[in-house]
Amino acid sequence: MATIITPYDSEIAVWVHKGQSVPEATIDQLAQKLRRTAPAVSQVFVKTSDGSDWMAKFDTKASMAIDGPAAIGRWVTTLQKYGLEFHAWCVPRGLNIDAEANVITQACKVPGVRSMILDVEPYANFWAGGKAGVRPLMTRIRAAIPGAFHIGMAVDPRPQHMATIFADEWFPFVNSVHLQLYWVTFGVTPEVALDQGYKAWAGYNRPLFPILEGYGTDAGSIDRARTLAINTYKSVGVSYWVYGQMQPGDFAAINRNMDGSVGAVPPGADGSTPTYGPTITVVGGGAGYSDGAYQGVAPALATFQTYQNTIGGIGKYHSTNDGVANVYARWDPQIKQSGWYTIEAFIPTTHATTGKARYKLHGVKNAPTEVITTLPQTYYNNEWAMIGTFQIDAAAKEAGVIYLNDWTFEPGLELAFDALRWRPVTGTSGGNTGIISNITPRAKEIFLKGKALGLRTNVFSKVGDSITFSPSFLTPIGQGQYDLAAYSAELLPVIQFFSQQTARVGNSFANPSLAAGPGWKADTLFLPAWSDPCGSEQCLLCEYNRVKPAVALIMIGTNDSSDVAPADYTKNLHRLLDTTINMGILPVISTIPPKRLDPVNNAKVDQWNTIIRGIAVEYQIPLWDYWSTMVNAPNQGISSDGVHPSAPANGATGSFTPANLVYGYNIRNLTALQVLNAIWKQVLS
């Protein structure tokens, strides 16, 4: 089979059925959820039509419902803000050939729509046009759209269905096949589902892409299926069915790049505003910029044209090509420092009519090849457009370099450009900081419920394992053994606020928690304590009933990540949060710190934190990102045992001088106070 370049190469995607099938209220919220919980995902497949009807006919959520090209354009531009591509899919019925071809071609023509996937299945409410209906439908569609536009076909790949969907009739019109490898639905193992599907379609002479079950199964099965698809069956892209049904554990399981690495959450994905260092700008014709033509290109196509934009700058443009690259431009920012960079392109008013400008970025961390991001230039008007936020490895070859050529798979349009800029992310600011985020209106609702139940506003509980049980955590604050250094004005009031009342034994900072202990896992919290003062009462309830806190600082999972299944851990977190919220206590959930043991255990931390971040979003409760504050400390703030936070030799974990903020427990105590300060000011007051 000749190599077919597809828009799914090296990409991870999720499928969306319709707006009313997802929990988010807006497209923005859906995109934010994906960035937080599964940042490895770069594409969203959205259903645009069913038969001759736009999906709005079947969708009650007006903010997401697709009733025509304008609604698709909103999806395209909104997802673009978060570095996500829009791909359309539909169910052709074959009952009204002209009307169905019309809605499908309208969707394909919307700028920024990267592909169209036809869901062709041998069941009721799917294709009913018979063998004779395939070519009339597809001939009309192909005649109305550019020949290079990518059309895929999604199928139930079990061998008995090939004849009933008339696979050979679709063949001349489709560029790829997406195999619905639903092992739970089929009642088989992932190994059997993939074996049957790939064997049945191996001779179809089209690239095959797996659609894997992304919910209703376990993380181990998802991981095995993904690994088989990529390593054994050589798939160069993966998608998951279906967004809206996925739970936090599912998002953690699908959050894997093609090489198996865990997708990293970009700065700002928690709703905070990134802060930037000095911007690196490379302008057309300036230092770091170059362009040229590929070998053998005719002179008429071998150069860019220039234009003067409305703000006085000189830019370049070229006609787009649907089958080959003629010219290229290259921007080299000369990046010397590894880290997160927000990359943007200045798009002019004139000549920028392409919907698929393909920016090829080099030097992205954990990316074995260049990362291609598609930007619909036509939506922008003399403004900076987001290409994305990426981790750049300064040691990589061509670190941060971007290439752009005229091959966009579109004929007759124009590609235009001027400057590109790289903005190094130095931190986050705003209502949601990098330390505490996701303080939503629901937090206030929970607090007010607890207040009505008699819970104490200036009392909090600590819930967790040995890292919470340790006297290094907050006890020095409660005993007055602290040096706030530069943080005195900010944090002394919050210490005083939470020191007014006795929690149980001492104030909240010093009180030894009944809901924390060495080696504890999430399910330990629901075991009988069998000790004074709890008797046989569950550990968590014992703490809550005796302390009556308004807030619970929760960090649990370091021990679970060693040997507990992600689905079980997720279930236990749900139980923990449900119990806490039902009692009117506001849970503040924390990411777990890094591990410094071995690659497997270290990677589990990323997976667990993805679950934690996803649950914070799901429950709309505050997230304390302890992990992110640790990763840049010496040895990532972890002691020589590879698990517990480090502490100064003199035990002064309440000291926040620069010399002491290299230790993990000092960082935890400082951030705990900052978290409590934010909760006090934004929720409790």
Side-chain angles (χ1 to χ4, degrees):
M1 180 179 71
T3 300
I4 298 177
I5 297 174
T6 84
Y8 322 111
D9 295 357
S10 303
E11 308 288 350
I12 307 296
V14 294
W15 295 71
V16 172
H17 182 208
K18 53 187 174 182
Q20 70 187 62
S21 299
V22 306
E24 293 77 30
T26 65
I27 306 169
D28 272 287
Q29 291 176 6
L30 183 151
Q32 291 166 6
K33 173 76 169 289
L34 275 175
R35 292 287 82 190
R36 292 181 187 128
T37 57
V41 172
S42 56
Q43 300 179 326
V44 184
F45 298 170
V46 182
K47 190 175 183 184
T48 53
S49 63
D50 194 298
S52 58
D53 296 304
W54 295 108
M55 280 304 293
K57 180 177 180 179
F58 313 99
D59 194 346
T60 59
K61 189 174 290 183
S63 60
M64 292 186 180
I66 291 177
D67 58 4
I72 296 174
R74 286 194 297 273
W75 271 92
V76 170
T77 54
T78 303
L79 292 180
Q80 174 64 41
K81 292 189 302 183
Y82 301 94
L84 296 166
E85 290 183 355
F86 179 96
H87 295 255
W89 68 278
C90 70
V91 172
R93 298 286 191 90
L95 301 176
N96 186 335
I97 297 297
D98 288 336
E100 292 182 34
N102 180 46
V103 294
I104 292 172
T105 55
Q106 284 189 66
C108 294
K109 289 180 176 180
V110 175
V113 174
R114 295 284 286 114
S115 72
M116 171 64 76
I117 302 174
L118 311 175
D119 187 2
V120 182
E121 301 182 46
Y123 307 114
N125 300 320
F126 285 89
W127 181 255
K131 180 178 180 179
V134 176
R135 289 179 183 257
L137 174 71
M138 294 309 299
T139 300
R140 286 169 172 77
I141 293 171
R142 277 299 185 191
I145 62 176
F149 186 89
H150 191 101
I151 296 180
M153 179 170 66
V155 300
D156 180 334
R158 290 175 289 183
Q160 65 268 31
H161 297 310
M162 290 191 73
T164 55
I165 64 167
F166 317 106
D168 290 342
E169 294 299 300
W170 298 96
F171 175 80
F173 305 100
V174 299
N175 307 107
S176 62
V177 178
H178 301 255
L179 309 177
Q180 298 166 346
L181 301 167
Y182 304 154
W183 56 90
V184 175
T185 302
F186 298 163
V188 297
T189 64
E191 290 78 7
V192 170
L194 269 69
D195 180 69
Q196 289 180 342
Y198 277 96
K199 279 184 177 177
W201 288 82
Y204 198 66
N205 206 32
R206 289 289 183 266
L208 304 179
F209 292 91
I211 310 173
L212 304 180
E213 283 195 289
Y215 77 101
T217 183
D218 60 280
S221 295
I222 293 174
D223 191 61
R224 294 203 317 275
R226 179 191 60 79
T227 302
L228 275 172
I230 295 170
N231 295 341
T232 302
Y233 298 104
K234 307 304 179 185
S235 176
V236 295
V238 175
S239 67
Y240 295 93
W241 177 268
V242 56
Y243 188 92
Q245 295 294 324
M246 295 173 180
Q247 301 302 313
D250 302 321
F251 285 113
I254 72 172
N255 186 36
R256 296 280 175 173
N257 299 306
M258 289 296 292
D259 66 352
S261 61
V262 176
V265 180
D270 61 0
S272 60
T273 302
T275 55
Y276 298 105
T279 298
I280 303 169
T281 302
V282 179
V283 300
Y289 173 84
S290 60
D291 58 40
Y294 294 101
Q295 188 173 4
V297 173
L301 296 174
T303 58
F304 288 101
Q305 304 298 310
T306 61
Y307 66 92
Q308 184 167 0
N309 65 33
T310 57
I311 58 174
I314 300 296
K316 296 191 176 188
Y317 70 96
H318 197 283
S319 58
T320 60
N321 197 288
D322 60 348
V324 68
N326 298 294
V327 290
Y328 67 87
R330 180 181 185 270
W331 292 261
D332 185 354
Q334 295 289 312
I335 287 176
K336 305 300 183 185
Q337 180 70 43
S338 297
W340 287 98
Y341 288 79
T342 295
I343 305 176
E344 299 168 320
F346 188 82
I347 309 300
T349 300
T350 58
H351 300 291
T353 58
T354 174
K356 301 174 185 176
R358 299 165 69 235
Y359 293 82
K360 302 178 179 182
L361 173 62
H362 291 246
V364 176
K365 183 179 179 181
N366 293 325
T369 61
E370 63 187 8
V371 173
I372 301 177
T373 301
T374 301
L375 179 66
Q377 289 190 349
T378 188
Y379 292 107
Y380 298 92
N381 181 0
N382 273 347
E383 57 187 312
W384 290 100
M386 171 78 79
I387 294 176
T389 300
F390 305 90
Q391 273 185 298
I392 303 299
D393 180 0
K397 183 180 180 181
E398 295 191 300
V401 170
I402 287 182
Y403 288 85
L404 181 68
N405 62 46
D406 58 322
W407 188 7
T408 67
F409 300 88
E410 307 159 305
L413 299 177
E414 289 182 325
L415 172 88
F417 57 83
D418 191 337
L420 266 63
R421 68 184 183 188
W422 291 253
R423 306 174 73 191
V425 180
T426 58
T428 55
S429 62
N432 288 334
T433 70
I435 297 167
I436 176 71
S437 64
N438 211 49
I439 301 177
T440 68
R442 193 184 185 208
K444 191 78 168 184
E445 294 171 6
I446 297 169
F447 163 66
L448 291 175
K449 174 185 175 181
K451 188 175 182 179
L453 293 173
L455 301 185
R456 299 185 289 173
T457 300
N458 55 357
V459 174
F460 66 86
S461 282
K462 298 171 283 187
V463 178
D465 51 32
S466 59
I467 301 175
T468 295
F469 181 77
S470 170
S472 294
F473 177 53
L474 289 182
T475 301
I477 307 299
Q479 296 175 342
Q481 299 171 2
Y482 53 79
D483 178 1
L484 301 183
Y487 301 92
S488 180
E490 173 191 356
L491 299 179
L492 186 58
V494 75
I495 293 174
Q496 294 171 338
F497 178 78
F498 284 107
S499 296
Q500 296 175 48
Q501 282 192 280
T502 298
R504 185 180 62 87
V505 179
N507 58 43
S508 296
F509 300 106
N511 180 44
S513 177
L514 300 168
W520 282 22
K521 300 178 180 178
D523 62 356
T524 312
L525 294 165
F526 301 100
L527 297 178
W530 293 110
S531 62
D532 291 336
C534 303
S536 60
E537 193 174 11
Q538 291 179 2
C539 300
L540 183 68
L541 295 180
C542 182
E543 168 73 11
Y544 287 167
N545 286 331
R546 281 150 185 79
V547 175
K548 297 190 181 303
V551 176
L553 301 181
I554 299 171
M555 189 180 83
I556 193 81
T558 292
N559 298 307
D560 298 77
S561 67
S562 298
D563 56 10
V564 175
D568 292 336
Y569 174 64
T570 302
K571 181 176 67 176
N572 289 327
L573 279 189
H574 276 281
R575 185 181 179 189
L576 167 58
L577 295 178
D578 289 340
T579 300
T580 304
I581 292 170
N582 288 339
M583 294 181 70
I585 301 166
L586 174 62
V588 178
I589 192 166
S590 171
T591 54
I592 62 174
K595 283 186 177 180
R596 304 282 290 179
L597 296 174
D598 55 66
V600 173
N601 275 286
N602 299 349
K604 282 288 191 70
V605 170
D606 293 330
Q607 183 180 9
W608 251 236
N609 282 335
T610 300
I611 294 173
I612 291 166
R613 292 185 179 102
I615 280 188
V617 174
E618 178 187 359
Y619 277 79
Q620 288 297 284
I621 58 172
L623 174 71
W624 171 11
D625 198 355
Y626 179 43
W627 176 90
S628 70
T629 65
M630 292 276 277
V631 291
N632 292 321
N635 204 46
Q636 295 188 311
I638 298 300
S639 65
S640 58
D641 68 8
V643 175
H644 294 88
S646 56
N650 62 2
T653 58
S655 174
F656 304 148
T657 63
N660 280 318
L661 283 177
V662 298
Y663 297 105
Y665 266 119
N666 298 67
I667 294 171
R668 188 167 191 221
N669 287 333
L670 171 61
T671 57
L673 290 174
Q674 292 172 324
V675 164
L676 287 169
N677 195 37
I679 296 297
W680 174 33
K681 291 181 177 178
Q682 297 182 46
V683 181
L684 307 185
S685 59

